[in-house]
Amino acid sequence: MVVNLPDEVLYKVEKPARYIGNEMNSVHKEPQSVKIRFAFCFPDVYEVGMSHLGMKILYHMLNEREDTYCERVFAPWTDMEEQMRKRDIPLFALESKEAVTYFDFVGFTLQYEMSFTNIINMLDLAKIPIKATERKEENPFVILGGPCAYNSEPLWEIADIVVLGESEEALNELMDLYIKWKENNKPRKEFLKAASSLKGVYIPAFYDVEYNDDGTIKKLFPIDEAPQTVSKRFIKRLDDSYFPKDIIVPYTEIVHDRIMLEVFRGCTRGCRFCQAGFIYRPVREKSRKKLMSDAASLIENTGYEELSLTSLSICDYSDIKGLVNDLIENYEESKVGISLPSLRIDSFSVDLINEIQKVRKTGLTFAPEAGSQRMRDVINKGVTEEDLMKSTSDAFKLGWSNIKLYFMIGLPGETFEDIEGIAALAYKVMDEYYKVPKEQRKKGLNITVSTSSFVPKAFTPFQWEPQNTMEELKEKQYFLKNKIKSKQITYNWHASPVSFLEGIFARGDRKLSKVLINAWEKGCKFDGWDEHFKFDLWMEAFEECGIDPAFYANRRREYDEILPWDHLNIGIPKEYLINEHKKSMEENLTTDCREGCHSCGILEFEKSGVCFDGALSS
């Protein structure tokens, strides 16, 4: 059913370009010509979702299948939702404008815990039953993926299928399996049973949980012959993996409006707070030849004039200088700018940044993460104050005067001396600026210090740690604010109630499912947006469900406690994470994997020795 979206509706919403589709490089097919309709849903607005690299990859990958039509769906902003509910317009896909409820699959990517209520809201707008148990044979299968899928237990009632890890291969296998199931006209449950045999595919309904009297998990076990554990998927050779030759060029401005060139996956640094650093192991690099080929196609097919190199720690790419030199050489004349995400302060390269600024000077962001050396050792950041001073001094000499510094507060074992160290570092960076001769440095120094509140995540060495309470975080934020007096240093921080909610769901269990639904029924959605975050309603939802949120956010776990994600396998054994946690308490470092293997378990996981695949050092 094609949705009727009259002009008068578009006239009444803030940004109609979010809903009209038909952008350059969007894919359009005859729905009758395919066997599978896949709605790729992003649980946030168009501008955020269109900046997501995973959506760009999977959208085009699925559409390269002749039997599949993948379309995009974004969360309508509140003004559009009001019009849709008033006129009984169901959630629709951008390409065909057809109602999502008639699709075969509705896939959501879980990038951030604060988007969970938007998933429920979008299902409701689509007129798809919110709970998996209430869906009938004709309803689509709801699939979840993305980094938060590594603990999707708070969404267990909502998901039919969860894909764990990099989903390119698993999704294709699922599509093939679906076509066979559909041709055989078997019951819905038979498809889920068959899907559960695929590596990386987790069916929450096929597992059950028993709890102790204190609320911790007593037993977590498979039913219906499901596997005991579900292991993640990852692509072994990135040069052979799918990457789009073109991407959709939006009509309206989006958050990251540029080409994103994925350079490698994984990270060797072992920062103990970083979930991505553990779940995306092993490290796999694309070759410079492959990257140059991808860049050429994307620049030619989109007309973008900026290309961002994307990875967890971009300067760790073993061929970074060669890649940047080639990109500059090829695109300097056509004025295509190259940008890098936040840089490690120990791998900042004067030569590299000199090359980049030949075309266009982009922002410069460093992430020391903690203010004191003691704290940086606890989190295994592996960088020193000397590294930061050298990097920022080099940057000032090269003409930068606008530097951003990212830190976290609320880290395990943190003291007020560590917090004070953040302010001290910012002042020392300011001193480095004034050491540069006046005629050499650029005018208008601006140092931005940003702190986020540490949220312990699943599958990290800090997964057993309590999160700081909101009161503790607030006290630390004001303490730091009072330590920064210079007008040349700006201090930004994140509100602690949002971090508190994020902390609850990041390590939550199945009992939180009813809280999520209750909070949505009360009107919670777009919780990541300050103007829509309704903390009081969330607290009401917890109270009505009889659940103490501090149990999830602020409680220390023991090593022998069964965690809600213990039946999922990322390839890193729990023993390794425990050892890393103990080393953090002793302020001992674990060196970069490139300096020597620490036997984290990922090589044994696939039994193929693929770490550093593609790297020049391999």
Side-chain angles (χ1 to χ4, degrees), residues 319-432:
D319 198 10
I320 185 70
K321 288 182 181 174
L323 176 63
V324 168
N325 286 339
D326 280 2
L327 288 170
I328 296 292
E329 189 178 323
N330 281 17
Y331 301 110
E332 185 175 7
E333 196 172 320
S334 52
K335 302 292 181 191
V336 175
I338 313 298
S339 63
L340 304 176
S342 67
L343 300 167
R344 279 183 65 90
I345 56 180
D346 57 337
S347 54
F348 179 78
S349 162
V350 177
D351 293 339
L352 182 67
I353 216 73
N354 254 332
E355 284 299 313
I356 289 174
Q357 74 163 358
K358 277 182 183 174
V359 177
R360 189 183 303 159
K361 186 159 292 186
T362 53
L364 204 51
T365 303
F366 295 108
E369 310 289 4
S372 70
Q373 192 58 49
R374 187 192 74 82
M375 206 66 246
R376 288 192 290 273
D377 290 346
V378 167
I379 64 176
N380 203 47
K381 186 64 183 176
V383 298
T384 64
E385 181 179 309
E386 188 182 358
D387 293 326
L388 179 62
M389 295 311 123
K390 183 179 182 311
S391 297
T392 51
S393 175
D394 287 344
F396 292 141
K397 287 172 187 169
L398 288 169
W400 265 270
S401 61
N402 201 340
I403 302 284
K404 293 179 182 174
L405 302 174
Y406 279 163
F407 298 89
M408 284 183 292
I409 59 170
L411 289 162
E414 184 179 68
T415 66
F416 280 91
E417 280 184 20
D418 299 315
I419 302 289
E420 193 168 5
I422 295 174
L425 265 189
Y427 277 100
K428 286 176 183 174
V429 168
M430 191 167 75
D431 291 342
E432 291 298 319

Side-chain angles (χ1 to χ4, degrees), residues 75-88:
W77 191 240
T78 50
D79 55 357
M80 185 59 166
E81 182 183 339
E82 182 184 344
Q83 293 297 320
M84 290 168 72
R85 290 196 184 276
K86 188 175 168 185
R87 296 163 187 266
D88 198 27

Side-chain angles (χ1 to χ4, degrees), residues 6 32 50 162 191 199 220 266 304 313 334 336 379 453 482 514 539 566 576:
Q32 297 78 13
M50 283 296 291
V162 178
F191 174 67
K199 186 174 182 183
L220 201 164
Y304 271 117
S313 179
S334 52
V336 175
I379 64 176
S453 301
N482 289 329
K514 60 182 178 182
M539 292 305 101
D566 273 356
Y576 183 83

Side-chain angles (χ1 to χ4, degrees), residues 469-484:
T469 64
M470 288 188 288
E471 292 72 23
E472 288 170 330
L473 290 171
K474 199 171 180 181
E475 186 182 2
K476 290 178 177 179
Q477 288 161 347
Y478 278 96
F479 175 80
L480 179 55
K481 183 173 179 285
N482 289 329
K483 293 291 176 185
I484 296 175

Side-chain angles (χ1 to χ4, degrees), residues 117 156 160 209 214 219 258 345 372 393 510:
T117 49
W156 83 280
D160 290 303
V209 183
D214 64 0
K219 192 178 175 187
R258 61 185 78 97
I345 56 180
S372 70
S393 175
R510 295 187 167 199

Side-chain angles (χ1 to χ4, degrees), residues 572-590:
I572 313 288
K574 201 183 229 183
E575 293 72 26
Y576 183 83
L577 299 178
I578 289 173
N579 188 47
E580 279 297 297
H581 184 239
K582 288 178 177 174
K583 286 175 76 174
S584 79
M585 291 187 289
E586 296 161 357
E587 301 171 19
N588 285 334
L589 291 169
T590 297

